[in-house]
Amino acid sequence: MELKIGENISRYRRERHMTQEQLARSVGVSPPAVSKWETGSSYPDVTLLSPIARALGITVDILLSFQEELTEEEVDSLYRELQGLFGRRGFSAGQQRCEELLREYPNSAGLKLTVGGLYQTMLGTLPSEELTEERVQEILRLAAQLYSQVRASGDPRYFAAATVGLAAFRLSENRLEETEALLDSLPKVEIDPNELYPSLYLAQGKSEQAVKLLEAHLFQLLRSVSLALHSLASLSQERDGTDRALFLCGLSLRLAELFDLEDVSGELEYSAVLLMKQGRTREAVDRLEQYAEKLLAFRTDYSSHPIFPHLSFRTSPEKLDSSRRMAAKALELTPAFEPLQKEPRFRDILEKLAPSSAL
């Protein structure tokens, strides 16, 4: 961790209108010693930290730039920095910076949750030769460890998100009892306050806040309906065959079209799998082309959306690129699409999602 003692000494000395000579006399050293501290060519002896801090009117923690917690705004700023780093320089560089920050702020639950999420969402920035099952599982285990630490911190702001992230990982490991225990630990809410806040805001004359909340609430409800239809389709495939599963996928796609929703890639990919199972290869490839088009055209700016103009998402170009690369890799490894590996249209889809020139 880079120490900024010299910068802090210089900053707080100047704020108190002290000369280097005055500070030197206060702590019993020579003026050249203070000069060396401020230029970073040497550090003060540990026994001098308290006298220096007292002379400057600050604490030793401030002198050492120690910060136990980060504000939510600071975490959000670091998220944007890290997301860009993963995208520009790859996973290793991003992971290295994450580890540096975790050492610098070991008690920041918000930072740990952010890093855990980045480890999951930026897997697509791994070089193709590193994108193996073993490496992916190693990274996901690191994310799970961070989620566990966030839960242990007891910070109510991040507990639910960390619990859901950890539960998803335990489910992928088929550790079902642990998954159930994690989900049971989530607070059970009988009444959603989002259903009452709009009325409160309207009564307070805060119509803009009411509109924003209603848009966000509707968007979340639509996502929940879409997820339920997808889950029903998966169960229907196992119990009733592919016809009913395709019907349910179609409902989800019609819902997305009706409300002009962007994120329908899951339904398009799954319906392509179902079509392959029915031997409808050409239709499956048509559906995969739609899937690629949606991913490539995915927007994060909803300002001109007819229903959700106030929604905003913090999705960077780097994250979108990572998601597309991961999607291409997933298509290539999906057993149902194995017969398509030499199909020119299929290879063209993969190239559009993960251009070889960018690897």
Side-chain angles (χ1 to χ4, degrees), residues 234-306:
S234 298
L235 289 170
S236 295
Q237 180 197 344
E238 297 173 7
R239 298 175 55 184
D240 309 315
T242 53
D243 284 341
R244 178 168 170 76
L246 276 170
F247 167 73
L248 291 166
C249 274
L251 287 180
S252 184
L253 290 170
R254 284 161 58 191
L255 183 72
E257 182 179 2
L258 180 63
F259 286 90
D260 193 17
L261 301 177
E262 289 287 317
D263 191 10
V264 294
S265 54
E267 285 72 22
L268 288 168
E269 181 188 12
Y270 183 52
S271 59
V273 170
L274 296 173
L275 289 167
M276 288 296 295
K277 289 181 180 295
Q278 291 188 346
R280 298 158 65 180
T281 304
R282 183 174 179 178
E283 292 175 72
V285 178
D286 289 342
R287 196 60 59 88
L288 288 176
E289 286 180 335
Q290 291 178 302
Y291 167 71
E293 288 170 6
K294 280 290 184 182
L295 285 179
L296 291 169
F298 187 80
R299 67 184 174 202
T300 58
D301 179 13
Y302 272 58
S303 59
S304 60
H305 196 283

Side-chain angles (χ1 to χ4, degrees), residues 198-210:
S199 297
L200 171 64
Y201 289 151
L202 287 172
Q204 293 174 329
K206 301 176 181 177
S207 58
E208 185 77 3
Q209 286 179 260

Side-chain angles (χ1 to χ4, degrees), residues 75-353:
V75 171
D76 194 61
S77 177
L78 287 172
Y79 170 83
R80 292 192 294 271
E81 173 201 327
L82 291 167
Q83 197 178 55
L85 184 60
F86 274 99
R88 292 190 307 272
R89 298 180 53 195
F91 195 91
S92 294
Q95 184 178 9
Q96 181 179 346
R97 177 61 177 149
C98 285
E99 291 172 353
E100 290 172 358
L101 289 169
L102 290 171
R103 287 194 295 270
E104 188 171 355
Y105 304 105
N107 298 315
S108 175
L111 178 63
K112 290 178 180 179
L113 182 66
T114 293
V115 171
L118 284 167
Y119 282 173
Q120 289 183 288
T121 58
M122 302 307 288
L123 285 169
T125 61
L126 279 168
S128 55
E129 64 272 13
E130 289 187 38
L131 198 56
T132 63
E133 180 66 22
E134 182 180 355
R135 177 70 169 131
V136 167
Q137 286 304 310
E138 174 194 342
I139 294 167
L140 292 179
R141 279 192 293 272
L142 290 175
Q145 289 171 11
L146 291 169
Y147 292 148
S148 294
Q149 292 172 24
V150 174
R151 281 173 46 81
S153 75
D155 192 321
R157 294 172 298 172
Y158 309 115
F159 182 84
T163 299
V164 171
L166 185 58
F169 180 69
R170 294 292 180 247
L171 182 60
S172 72
E173 294 181 305
N174 204 36
R175 294 162 66 170
L176 305 184
E177 290 185 6
E178 289 184 48
T179 303
E180 185 174 11
L182 286 165
L183 295 177
D184 287 343
S185 73
L186 290 168
K188 304 299 185 290
V189 180
E190 298 296 331
I191 299 176
D192 186 350
N194 285 330
E195 296 178 2
L196 298 176
Y197 271 117
S199 297
L200 171 64
Y201 289 151
L202 287 172
Q204 293 174 329
K206 301 176 181 177
S207 58
E208 185 77 3
Q209 286 179 260
V211 169
K212 288 180 180 179
L213 186 59
L214 284 168
E215 287 181 16
H217 189 45
L218 175 59
F219 188 81
Q220 190 57 50
L221 288 173
L222 290 169
R223 291 191 62 163
S224 296
V225 171
S226 180
L227 178 61
L229 286 170
H230 188 90
S231 298
L232 279 171
S234 298
L235 289 170
S236 295
Q237 180 197 344
E238 297 173 7
R239 298 175 55 184
D240 309 315
T242 53
D243 284 341
R244 178 168 170 76
L246 276 170
F247 167 73
L248 291 166
C249 274
L251 287 180
S252 184
L253 290 170
R254 284 161 58 191
L255 183 72
E257 182 179 2
L258 180 63
F259 286 90
D260 193 17
L261 301 177
E262 289 287 317
D263 191 10
V264 294
S265 54
E267 285 72 22
L268 288 168
E269 181 188 12
Y270 183 52
S271 59
V273 170
L274 296 173
L275 289 167
M276 288 296 295
K277 289 181 180 295
Q278 291 188 346
R280 298 158 65 180
T281 304
R282 183 174 179 178
E283 292 175 72
V285 178
D286 289 342
R287 196 60 59 88
L288 288 176
E289 286 180 335
Q290 291 178 302
Y291 167 71
E293 288 170 6
K294 280 290 184 182
L295 285 179
L296 291 169
F298 187 80
R299 67 184 174 202
T300 58
D301 179 13
Y302 272 58
S303 59
S304 60
H305 196 283
I307 306 171
F308 307 110
H310 295 96
L311 289 186
S312 61
F313 302 93
R314 57 175 196 177
T315 304
S316 69
E318 291 83 9
K319 185 175 180 180
L320 289 175
D321 183 63
S322 172
S323 299
R324 291 164 187 151
R325 284 167 51 85
M326 286 293 292
K329 190 68 175 180
L331 289 180
E332 202 166 19
L333 297 177
T334 299
F337 301 140
E338 189 174 346
L340 302 177
Q341 293 301 319
K342 296 183 179 180
E343 163 68 40
R345 289 172 65 199
F346 183 74
R347 302 309 304 178
D348 185 53
I349 291 168
L350 299 182
E351 176 64 22
K352 285 180 179 177
L353 293 175

